Amino acid sequence: MSTLHFASALLPSGWADDVQVVVTDRTITKVTAGVMPGSQDERHKLAIPGIASLHSHAFQRGMAGLAETRGNSADTFWTWRETMYRFALDMTPEDVEAVATLLYVEMLEQGYTRVGEFHYLHHDHDGAPYANPAEMATRIARGAEISGIGLTLLPSFYAHSSFGGTAPHAGQRRFICSIDQFTKLTDATRSAVRALPGANVGIAPHSLRAVTPDELAAIAPLAEAGPVHIHAAEQIREVEECIAWSGRRPVQWLLEHAPVDRRWCLIHATHMTETETAALARSGAVAGLCPVTEASLGDGIFPAREFLDAGGRFGIGTDSNVLVGVTDELRQLEYGQRLKHRERNVLSGGPGLSTGRALFEAALTGGAQALARPTVGLQADARADIVTLDTAHPSLSGRRGDAVLDCWIFAGAGAVDTVWAGGAKVVEHGRHRLRESARETFNAAVRRLVS
Ligand SMILES: [Zn+2]
């Protein structure tokens, strides 16, 4: 057992002063506000909960920034994807472990304490399954174990190159599973994370491009009590091809044909009509927004104002991991809306309300729902995922309450100080305890891949 004391902390009920948090066995067991620090308490100034990156493809961290030279023709998501495929085809299990470990170290340094890993790089270079079908998933789990981040592992089912069951192409061979292979892979993935504290498993049918309706129905039971994540409506071309195939748009098709509810998370859902936006909000599913990647890939802007007005829930993900930061995602989400609507503080929820607080709390609870974590935040029974901010950071000086979140998100890059993940103190003074070794291993792997 350990006890922490914070001069100020963001609890589920709001900001409180003089907060003592008792941590027993990776879990918060008691939170008391308005108490003076005890002699055994470790004292800090300002605490907020750690939150989830609900959508990550870890291996893509290795190619961050490598697709920023314009090609000969129109440079789009689809040309970026060719670079990503080439990179994926070269990686060994050791490379994946090295890249995932550094990525998760970086996430923790930024205040992410859990990751939803949407994992589709399954097989050996020639497309044949490894002897352990979950070899790559095991490497992801190892990265989570080394770094200390909480893991929700979402093995992805990927079978086709486009709508209507089109055969996959050679560049996709390391992703492709039959239903039988995927069943074995999911079982082996559960075994791979069994010993990892707080880890859970869901499934991720990749997209309606990659999965037929029959396959979607066949794999659904494999989620058991875990979440179901699917990419949907990220690109206009995808929407057009979905209409050509089914007469329906991707989100519309899913809402009409799949049991989309609170267990589901639709990643991106960028291109929706007003009707789809309201219906997705009503379904209770989480919209998994990845604003930095969506901007990087030129996807478009999610209808966030309309979705929140309709009662929709969202969480944030780092997706391609081109840039890793809680504040970067939340700021990009709000700035996209400002540019679209030509207004300020679009997502605050109303007059007098803080945009930073609204964004942070929505992403905290939406991320927890999407990763099937029932209790989150600084309260009893939640995993002890706690972040302190450096109150001496120039952008936070003199700030209190919601102004801290506003200033951190919109002006406070680099203000994360200490991070506990599952009760273990992994980041101090903004540095993960394994930052150097994780960088060395990552750099050695990526130098070879890039050359
Ligand atoms: Zn994705």
Side-chain angles (χ1 to χ4, degrees):
M1 189 186 90
S2 61
T3 54
L4 309 171
H5 187 278
F6 305 106
S8 175
L10 181 61
L11 308 183
S13 53
W15 289 98
D17 290 338
D18 288 312
V19 175
Q20 187 189 56
V21 175
V22 180
V23 176
T24 311
D25 235 9
R26 305 189 183 93
T27 302
I28 295 174
T29 46
K30 194 175 178 198
V31 177
T32 316
V35 291
M36 288 299 110
S39 58
Q40 303 299 311
D41 293 0
E42 179 176 334
R43 296 174 65 176
H44 293 267
K45 292 218 168 65
L46 192 144
I48 59 176
I51 77 170
S53 168
L54 61 67
H55 186 68
S56 160
H57 307 291
F59 77 87
Q60 294 176 17
R61 172 64 183 86
M63 56 168 281
L66 282 178
E68 305 300 330
T69 299
R70 192 166 180 102
N72 289 330
S73 55
D75 206 329
T76 65
F77 169 89
W78 309 100
T79 51
W80 169 85
R81 196 176 68 159
E82 292 307 314
T83 307
M84 184 268 282
Y85 283 176
R86 281 199 301 277
F87 203 82
L89 287 176
D90 282 342
M91 292 183 87
T92 66
E94 291 76 17
D95 295 335
V96 167
E97 181 177 320
V99 172
T101 301
L102 179 78
L103 170 66
Y104 299 159
V105 160
E106 292 176 331
M107 283 187 181
L108 286 158
E109 289 183 344
Q110 294 295 322
Y112 289 117
T113 48
R114 187 169 200 91
V115 60
E117 184 63 38
F118 192 118
H119 172 60
Y120 60 86
L121 182 58
H122 299 310
H123 307 313
D124 209 340
H125 295 85
D126 60 359
Y130 288 103
N132 170 7
E135 172 69 36
M136 288 296 204
T138 304
R139 301 302 183 133
I140 296 286
R142 180 78 185 126
E145 183 183 6
I146 293 169
S147 65
I149 203 164
L151 176 66
T152 298
L153 194 41
L154 303 154
S156 178
F157 179 77
Y158 201 131
H160 306 284
S161 62
S162 193
F163 293 93
T166 313
H169 59 73
Q172 296 167 325
R173 63 185 178 272
R174 299 189 76 180
F175 318 151
I176 301 301
C177 282
S178 66
I179 289 172
D180 185 49
Q181 282 175 330
F182 186 69
T183 304
K184 292 189 177 111
L185 172 67
T186 305
D187 286 347
T189 300
R190 286 187 203 285
S191 301
V193 306
R194 195 153 288 143
L196 196 59
N200 64 339
V201 172
I203 60 164
H206 179 275
S207 57
L208 290 177
R209 281 185 276 124
V211 182
T212 64
D214 286 351
E215 289 161 346
L216 187 59
I219 64 168
L222 298 174
E224 298 182 1
V228 181
H229 287 216
I230 184 167
H231 293 115
E234 179 177 10
Q235 285 279 323
I236 294 282
R237 184 175 117 187
E238 172 199 345
V239 175
E240 291 168 350
E241 290 176 355
C242 189
I243 292 170
W245 160 65
S246 67
R248 293 287 184 275
R249 305 164 59 84
V251 172
Q252 182 186 20
W253 192 96
L254 284 167
L255 291 169
E256 289 178 6
H257 295 91
V260 175
D261 61 11
R262 289 179 50 86
R263 291 173 55 230
W264 283 63
C265 179
L266 270 58
I267 305 299
H268 306 302
T270 309
H271 300 289
M272 296 191 289
T273 61
E274 275 176 44
T275 307
E276 286 176 295
T277 303
L280 180 61
R282 273 197 308 276
S283 76
V286 172
L289 307 180
C290 310
V292 170
T293 294
E294 289 153 9
S296 167
L297 298 181
D299 289 342
I301 297 176
F302 177 78
R305 181 161 78 180
E306 297 76 8
F307 184 67
L308 292 183
D309 284 350
R313 301 147 197 249
F314 74 85
I316 52 167
T318 49
D319 194 359
S320 68
N321 299 304
V322 64
L323 180 69
V324 176
V326 174
T327 57
D328 297 289
E329 298 297 345
L330 294 177
R331 188 171 57 245
Q332 180 68 38
L333 173 59
E334 167 67 21
Y335 278 2
Q337 301 300 308
R338 292 187 190 190
L339 291 164
K340 178 180 178 183
H341 296 289
R342 298 192 295 280
E343 285 178 28
R344 303 193 70 250
N345 295 309
V346 178
L347 302 180
S348 74
L353 297 174
S354 149
T355 304
R357 172 82 177 271
L359 292 169
F360 185 80
E361 292 216 317
L364 174 70
T365 54
Q369 180 185 322
L371 302 183
R373 299 288 85 192
T375 309
V376 74
L378 304 184
Q379 60 176 321
D381 297 330
R383 185 177 190 257
D385 290 339
I386 307 167
V387 173
T388 71
L389 299 180
D390 174 12
T391 54
H393 187 288
S395 293
L396 300 190
S397 86
R399 272 61 159 188
R400 283 185 56 77
D402 291 346
V404 171
L405 291 173
D406 288 334
C407 294
W408 178 47
I409 292 166
F410 293 100
V416 170
D417 186 69
T418 308
V419 178
W420 293 263
K425 194 198 294 186
V426 291
V427 173
E428 274 188 286
H429 307 301
R431 295 172 74 90
H432 192 284
R433 56 190 167 77
L434 299 178
R435 180 198 275 188
E436 297 309 325
S437 61
R439 281 189 182 182
E440 272 176 36
T441 315
F442 172 93
N443 288 345
V446 169
R447 265 196 299 270
R448 187 183 56 74
L449 287 164
V450 169
S451 70

